[in-house]
Amino acid sequence: MTAKAGDRVKVIADNDIKEGILMPNEETDSVVIKLDNGYNVGIDKKKVKEIKVVEKYKEKEESTGKKPKKDSKKPTIAILHTGGTIASKVDYETGGVIAKFSPSELMELFPELKKIANFDSRLIDQMLSEDMRFEHYKKIANAIKKEIQKKVDGIIITHGTDTLGYTAAALSFILENIDIPVLLVGAQRSSDRGSSDAAMNLVCASEFITKTDFVGVAICMHESTGDNSCAILPATKTRKLHTSRRDAFKPVNDTIIARIDYDTRKIEFLKKDYPKPNGKLVVKDKFEDKVGIIKCHPNMFCDQFDFFKGYKGLVIEGTGLGHAPVDPPNKLHVNIMDSIKSLIKSGTIVAMASQCLFGETHPHVYTAAINLSKAGVVYCKDMLPETAFVKLAWLLGNYKKDDVKKLMAENLRGEINERLMKDEFLD
Ligand code: DAS
């Protein structure tokens, strides 16, 4: 009997037998099966002697929507799916990658999870994260609020990796005094691939939620390219720094909060100074749309800044300590300074972060910065440019203008590291 995608099979290769669910995988030279622990393995087709069908794939009747029964002794985690690679699975029929989750499908895809907690799973959206907009942050934040009202023990947001850092920062600002853990979890490899990181990221996030007293928003992703540990990363200080590596997410001007050893499930905290709630949850979910970000580069012209006339906020991703090409005697650069001054005069709040990413901006070292600071540009210390962008749009959506300027330079959710050590750099 020929094995088809979805069948439970035994693959005999050389002197090794592996059993699992056969995944559709025509295009590569390996046979991929999903093991019972949720992991996929690829076996070189040239080494495969036989594929034995153990059990034919049975078309699952549409899940009745009934939730898997709950174990009252276990905590409950709500998983809110927004899309991206992690929230995708293989449709055995078509071989296409679909993202459709229900609680029972989730348990089926990641069986290890049910040993850790009860799960309520809800589809919030079905999108790749490069399509996220401020309106989606509002939608996710209000879905989180509903789950908090249901008294869940923690929340996992599954999310595409490309803009996961922006969403983590946005939720950090929106959800003031949050008193449960909210972890954003992505995957660099979808669950149908041999090296998928989806299962381990979700398992580690669930272990962290159920075994620690952490509260607030954070990110859980692989700590290294190996499968030994996941990192819990600060929501406002983390950037995706690699297009494809599973450990793409790194803290910038900060350290990871904790690590979870996947084999032993041991949890090690590296710091505990994450913001603690001091009062009841306040959801401030407005954003000002007319906020932009511009990266400085050689050969700029003032019209690149004039474009932002009428915008309420602009983040300049400056060079070095927070510079822009504004120095005389170059007339073109004097014009840029004049454009920035006229933006500020017309009411646009202009903030400065550094494209170096590591280290902090400084408005008192070089003349350019001194003049920009004098002109009213707000220097954002060691804040990530993308966090500065999200923070400025959020402040403008929820606060009066004068407060915005003051709060932009203040540390609200760990976005400014007041104890930044010079040697905190790529090790
Ligand atoms: N396009 C990517 C995204 O949605 C897929 C991923 O990495 O999750 O961010």
Side-chain angles (χ1 to χ4, degrees):
M1 188 197 297
T2 14
K4 285 209 341 258
D7 293 349
R8 187 172 187 76
V9 296
K10 263 201 180 103
V11 179
I12 299 120
D14 292 346
N15 49 5
D16 183 25
I17 300 179
K18 284 200 172 30
E19 181 170 334
I21 308 289
L22 183 63
M23 308 294 274
N25 205 32
E26 288 72 31
E27 78 282 2
T28 64
D29 48 11
S30 60
V31 173
V32 178
I33 59 169
K34 178 179 282 300
L35 304 176
D36 292 344
N37 65 8
Y39 265 89
N40 298 357
V41 276
I43 304 132
D44 184 348
K45 278 179 182 163
K46 291 196 287 303
K47 295 196 177 123
V48 173
K49 290 205 172 62
E50 188 189 353
I51 301 179
K52 268 195 191 137
V53 176
V54 175
E55 187 190 348
K56 284 307 285 173
Y57 173 61
K58 280 194 272 328
E59 176 57 50
K60 299 251 171 330
E61 69 283 349
E62 264 307 295
S63 60
T64 54
K66 67 180 189 323
K67 292 200 172 18
K69 59 186 185 314
K70 288 207 164 166
D71 174 347
S72 57
K73 293 192 291 304
K74 287 201 178 92
T76 297
I77 297 176
I79 297 197
L80 307 179
H81 301 290
T82 69
T85 294
I86 186 163
S88 56
K89 59 177 269 191
V90 175
D91 175 348
Y92 298 139
E93 298 297 302
T94 64
V97 174
I98 51 165
K100 176 168 70 72
F101 274 89
S102 70
S104 46
E105 284 177 316
L106 188 88
M107 291 306 131
E108 186 187 297
L109 206 56
F110 306 113
E112 272 189 83
L113 291 175
K114 55 172 165 274
K115 295 179 210 141
I116 305 169
N118 301 305
F119 286 88
D120 288 342
S121 154
R122 243 167 1 98
L123 200 64
I124 301 296
D125 235 314
Q126 196 33 275
M127 58 196 296
L128 295 174
S129 74
E130 54 269 33
D131 296 323
M132 280 281 171
R133 298 185 67 81
F134 293 158
E135 68 195 70
H136 298 108
Y137 299 160
K138 195 183 284 214
K139 189 174 175 184
I140 299 168
N142 286 295
I144 289 170
K145 187 178 167 190
K146 278 207 198 91
E147 295 305 330
I148 292 176
Q149 286 160 347
K150 288 188 216 158
K151 303 259 177 272
V152 293
D153 299 282
I155 297 172
I156 289 175
I157 311 278
T158 54
H159 193 289
T161 58
D162 290 9
T163 67
L164 190 146
Y166 288 81
T167 304
L171 293 174
S172 253
F173 290 120
I174 295 171
L175 300 161
E176 203 166 293
N177 292 329
I178 185 146
D179 62 356
I180 63 164
V182 175
L183 298 187
L184 282 89
V185 181
Q188 290 279 64
R189 313 271 161 79
S190 58
S191 59
D192 59 314
R193 288 180 55 188
S195 56
S196 176
D197 45 341
M200 182 172 152
N201 292 351
L202 283 169
V203 164
C204 288
S206 307
E207 292 282 356
F208 186 70
I209 286 173
T210 54
K211 291 194 179 137
T212 73
D213 60 356
F214 174 78
V215 291
V217 182
I219 294 166
C220 179
M221 291 295 284
H222 264 52
E223 185 179 11
S224 68
T225 50
D227 289 331
N228 22 43
S229 61
C230 277
I232 301 295
L233 299 128
T236 56
K237 302 292 275 182
T238 297
R239 186 181 246 226
K240 178 178 180 181
L241 288 172
H242 196 283
T243 54
S244 58
R245 277 173 58 134
R246 303 187 305 170
D247 62 341
F249 286 77
K250 299 291 177 197
V252 176
N253 293 328
D254 208 339
T255 61
I256 63 172
I257 298 168
R259 68 167 55 88
I260 301 100
D261 181 299
Y262 184 55
D263 289 341
T264 63
R265 305 294 158 93
K266 193 167 113 7
I267 295 169
E268 179 202 352
F269 271 96
L270 280 77
K271 62 177 202 166
K272 285 219 153 192
D273 63 349
Y274 39 82
K276 310 279 188 313
N278 59 356
K280 69 183 200 34
L281 175 69
V282 179
V283 177
K284 294 178 183 162
D285 63 3
K286 292 187 188 59
F287 281 85
E288 169 55 58
D289 278 336
K290 299 298 276 180
V291 175
I293 185 165
I294 182 169
K295 186 177 187 129
C296 286
H297 55 80
N299 212 58
M300 291 192 92
F301 294 90
C302 61
D303 55 4
Q304 291 172 266
F305 291 85
D306 295 339
F307 169 81
F308 292 98
K309 217 165 236 14
Y311 270 63
K312 298 275 190 315
L314 173 65
V315 172
I316 300 177
E317 202 177 324
T319 52
L321 292 168
H323 304 139
V326 293
D327 291 327
N330 187 320
K331 187 84 189 76
L332 293 170
H333 295 171
V334 172
N335 294 345
I336 290 176
M337 178 57 111
D338 292 345
S339 295
I340 293 173
K341 282 181 178 167
S342 90
L343 279 175
I344 293 171
K345 199 155 163 287
S346 68
T348 307
I349 293 192
V350 180
M352 176 68 81
S354 173
Q355 59 191 253
C356 295
L357 302 183
F358 287 85
E360 55 183 358
T361 57
H362 240 291
H364 306 306
V365 180
Y366 290 92
T367 334
I370 293 170
N371 293 335
L372 284 164
S373 177
K374 270 198 201 131
V377 173
V378 180
Y379 274 69
C380 298
K381 300 175 185 158
D382 68 313
M383 210 186 303
L384 272 170
E386 56 271 33
T387 298
F389 165 72
V390 166
K391 180 177 179 180
L392 184 53
W394 174 74
L395 286 173
L396 285 163
N398 296 285
Y399 292 86
K400 290 195 308 301
K401 221 182 109 210
D402 291 352
D403 295 340
V404 170
K405 276 194 83 165
K406 186 171 72 59
L407 293 169
M408 196 60 195
E410 264 178 41
N411 178 35
L412 306 178
R413 304 283 195 279
E415 73 276 13
I416 292 172
N417 180 352
E418 276 133 345
R419 285 189 303 285
L420 182 65
M421 312 298 281
K422 289 278 167 291
D423 55 356
E424 240 157 31
F425 189 44
L426 302 166
D427 37 29

